[in-house]
Amino acid sequence: MADYIFVYFKKGSHVGSTPWSGELEIAKKAARAGLLRRGADAFQIRSSTLDGALAWEEGPQP
C-alpha cells in the first residue's frame, strides 16, 4: 500500500494521480517533477487515498 497519493490538477480540474511510498520530503520532489509530465499546474500529496488527509500542496488551489 502507498504511503501517499500525488493528486495533480490543471486549472482546478483533476488530471491524474500517482501512488508513492517513501519519505515526504522526497515525495515533494517527485511530485514537482510530475507536474510537467502531467501538464498540471498544481498538486496535492494526500495520505493513502484520494480522500486521505492532506500532507502537502503546491500551486494554484484547486
Side-chain angles (χ1 to χ4, degrees):
M1 184 158 117
D3 296 323
Y4 300 105
I5 301 290
F6 303 160
V7 186
Y8 293 99
F9 299 91
K10 183 171 185 172
K11 296 182 182 179
S13 294
H14 179 242
V15 294
S17 57
T18 302
W20 176 265
S21 292
E23 299 290 328
L24 181 58
E25 290 305 312
I26 297 170
K28 291 176 190 177
K29 292 177 185 177
R32 285 181 196 117
L35 285 171
L36 184 59
R37 285 192 305 271
R38 297 278 187 168
D41 59 12
F43 70 87
Q44 296 177 342
I45 300 176
R46 297 196 164 265
S47 63
S48 301
T49 68
L50 290 174
D51 295 326
L54 182 64
W56 187 261
E57 65 183 335
E58 288 186 18
Q61 301 305 306

